[in-house]
Amino acid sequence: MKNINYSIKKSIKFLKNNECIGIPTETVYGLAANAYSKKATSKIFSLKKRPKNNPLIVHYHDLKGLKKDCYLNKDFKKLFEKFCPGPITFILKLKKHSNIAQNVTNFKKSLAVRFPNHPVTRSLLKKINFPLAAPSANIYSRISPVTKEDVLEEFGNKIKYVLNGGRSSIGLESTIIDLTNKPKIVRLGGLDTKILSNAINKKVNYKFNYLKSVKFPGQSKLHYSPGIPIKLNIKNPKKYSAYLLIKKKKIENKNFFYLSKKNDLKQAGKNLYKTLRKIKKMKYKLIEVEKIPNLGLGKTINDRLTKASFK
Ligand code: TXA
Ligand code: MG
C-alpha cells in the first residue's frame, strides 16, 4: 500500500495505452480498461475468455461523468444518494451519443454502472477523464478475486499490472438493480435487497429460477466455481470432503473450513471466495456446506454457492 501515488500514476499510463489492469474494489477486484475504447475493452473479453454477449459494468467517480453516458431517473437518484459509492450496480438507459464502446454493452441500449467505494480506485477514477469498464478479474465462470495475489493467480503475466488495494472488504460482487423499467434485482450482491427496496419505498422483486437460463450469461449457469462439486445444506459431512461452516462446532476436524465462527453473515461473505480458492489448492474432490440462513447477505452467499454447484 506504499507509494500509492506512484502506483496510480503507473495504472493511468497503462490505461491510457489501452491496456487492461487489475483494480481493487470493496466487492471484488476488477479487470479494468478504458470504457470509451473498443481496443482496450475487447482485451477484457479475450483475457477473461468471456462470451461477447455478456455486457460489462462501467465504473465512475461521480455523476458528472455518468451524465454524459446515461439518463438518470428518480429511483436512481434516491439510491445513489443513499448507497453510493458502494456495492450497488444500476442498469440505466444509455444515451444515444454516449462514447461507451459498443462491445461494452454488446450493442444494447442499457448500461450497467457502478461507483465503487475503495479509496485507491476512487482516487484513480478521479484522475482520468474516461470511465472504467471492469468485470470481476477472474477467468470466465471461475471464482472472483479478492486480493492482488488472486488476480495474479488468474492471469499471471498476461496482464500488465495490478493496482494493490489490500483485501476487498465485502468479498461478494455488487447487487445489480435494473432501473430501465420497473425496478428489478438481476443479481443478489453485497447490498441487502430489503434495505434497497425500503430506500425507494417500492417492492423490488427478485425472482430467479436457477434451473432456467436467463437473458444474461453469468447470472444463471455454472459460475463462481472452484471446479469441484458442491453440496449444500449438509449436516453430516463426509470425512474426505471440505466442509464449509458458519457456526463454531464443539468438535474440531481438519476438513472444517469456517467462513465465520459466530454465524456472522458479513464475515462469511468476506471469507467465501478466499476459502473456496484455498480448498481448490488443497485438491479436495468435494465441498459440503452447512445450511446458511437465507436472509441478508446469507441470500447472496447461497446464490453464489448454488450457481457454483451446477455441473
Ligand atoms: O462488484 C462488482 O459488480 C464487480 C466489481 C469489479 O465492480 N464486477 C462484476 O462484474 O461483478 P461482472 O462482469 O463479473 O458481472 C457483471 C454482471 C454480468 O452478469 C452481466 O451479465 C451483468 O452484470 N450486466 C452487465 N451489463 C448489463 C446490462 N446492460 N443488463 C443486464 N445485465 C448486465
Ligand atoms: Mg464476474
Side-chain angles (χ1 to χ4, degrees):
M1 297 284 270
K2 263 190 246 156
N3 287 328
I4 213 66
N5 283 334
Y6 171 77
S7 315
I8 290 176
K9 257 194 194 152
K10 204 164 163 180
S11 303
I12 294 174
K13 213 171 123 197
F14 285 121
L15 291 168
K16 284 190 172 163
N17 257 333
N18 286 324
E19 296 292 352
C20 295
I21 62 164
I23 58 163
T25 89
E26 79 280 28
T27 57
V28 299
Y29 271 66
L31 183 64
N34 178 353
Y36 290 160
S37 158
K38 186 176 172 224
K39 187 175 171 200
T41 48
S42 69
K43 287 182 186 167
I44 294 181
F45 289 91
S46 52
L47 278 164
K48 267 185 71 93
K49 306 193 172 93
R50 180 176 175 116
K52 293 209 165 44
N53 63 353
N54 192 355
L56 306 175
I57 298 179
V58 176
H59 298 64
Y60 291 85
H61 180 266
D62 52 48
L63 286 183
K64 200 169 148 235
L66 178 69
K67 279 179 188 158
K68 291 184 197 158
D69 299 323
C70 292
Y71 295 104
L72 316 186
N73 57 37
K74 264 194 193 153
D75 287 338
F76 167 79
K77 284 177 187 157
K78 273 191 204 157
L79 292 170
F80 177 86
E81 286 269 301
K82 259 215 140 110
F83 302 114
C84 292
I88 178 167
T89 294
F90 308 92
I91 298 179
L92 299 174
K93 286 189 178 140
L94 184 65
K95 285 191 174 167
K96 221 178 176 174
H97 299 291
S98 128
N99 284 325
I100 296 291
Q102 283 182 318
N103 57 342
V104 168
T105 59
N106 183 34
F107 298 89
K108 261 185 234 310
K109 294 193 170 86
S110 62
L111 182 69
V113 304
R114 167 160 140 67
F115 303 83
N117 190 15
H118 189 291
V120 175
T121 288
R122 271 186 72 70
S123 139
L124 166 67
L125 284 166
K126 201 173 174 188
K127 291 190 170 85
I128 50 183
N129 57 4
F130 49 85
L132 293 177
S136 50
N138 52 283
I139 305 286
Y140 183 65
S141 94
R142 297 291 172 194
I143 308 167
S144 297
V146 293
T147 60
K148 175 184 171 173
E149 290 70 33
D150 295 348
V151 179
L152 290 172
E153 213 171 274
E154 293 289 313
F155 298 106
N157 57 11
K158 288 202 183 100
I159 57 174
K160 302 274 179 193
Y161 191 64
V162 185
L163 179 58
N164 194 1
R167 175 146 169 210
S168 299
S169 59
I170 295 178
L172 297 166
E173 297 84 348
S174 60
T175 301
I176 306 183
I177 183 165
D178 186 346
L179 296 176
T180 56
N181 229 307
K182 252 179 138 174
K184 193 174 93 199
I185 302 292
V186 295
R187 178 179 73 185
L188 295 174
L191 191 71
D192 187 349
T193 50
K194 242 198 202 130
I195 303 177
L196 209 152
S197 59
N198 285 345
I200 47 174
N201 244 328
K202 284 182 188 168
K203 195 169 181 303
V204 182
N205 275 330
Y206 176 76
K207 278 206 189 91
F208 191 79
N209 184 342
Y210 285 96
L211 296 174
K212 269 194 189 158
S213 69
V214 284
K215 275 196 297 192
F216 299 102
Q219 287 166 4
S220 59
K221 43 186 183 186
L222 179 71
H223 211 62
Y224 314 105
S225 166
I228 307 166
I230 298 183
K231 289 189 175 154
L232 306 179
N233 303 325
I234 300 292
K235 255 194 185 153
N236 301 304
K238 306 223 167 19
K239 277 207 180 84
Y240 61 86
S241 72
Y243 191 40
L244 286 184
L245 309 107
I246 56 161
K247 267 176 279 177
K248 180 101 180 80
K249 295 283 172 296
K250 282 194 190 105
I251 46 160
E252 269 305 327
N253 239 325
K254 70 172 184 347
N255 64 335
F256 283 10
F257 293 84
Y258 283 99
L259 296 177
S260 156
K261 288 194 174 171
K262 293 184 187 152
N263 208 2
D264 177 342
L265 294 171
K266 236 180 171 172
Q267 195 188 24
K270 181 174 177 183
N271 288 328
L272 180 67
Y273 292 149
K274 199 82 213 152
T275 310
L276 289 177
R277 238 171 230 281
K278 185 164 144 196
I279 290 170
K280 183 182 165 89
K281 277 188 208 148
M282 293 172 82
K283 304 218 171 352
Y284 275 94
K285 296 278 186 292
L286 176 67
I287 296 173
E288 295 182 299
V289 189
E290 182 181 31
K291 189 176 171 73
I292 292 174
N294 210 31
L295 45 99
L297 283 187
K299 273 192 191 161
T300 306
I301 298 173
N302 283 326
D303 169 82
R304 300 302 192 264
L305 286 169
T306 304
K307 287 172 181 168
S309 71
F310 289 150
K311 297 218 177 73

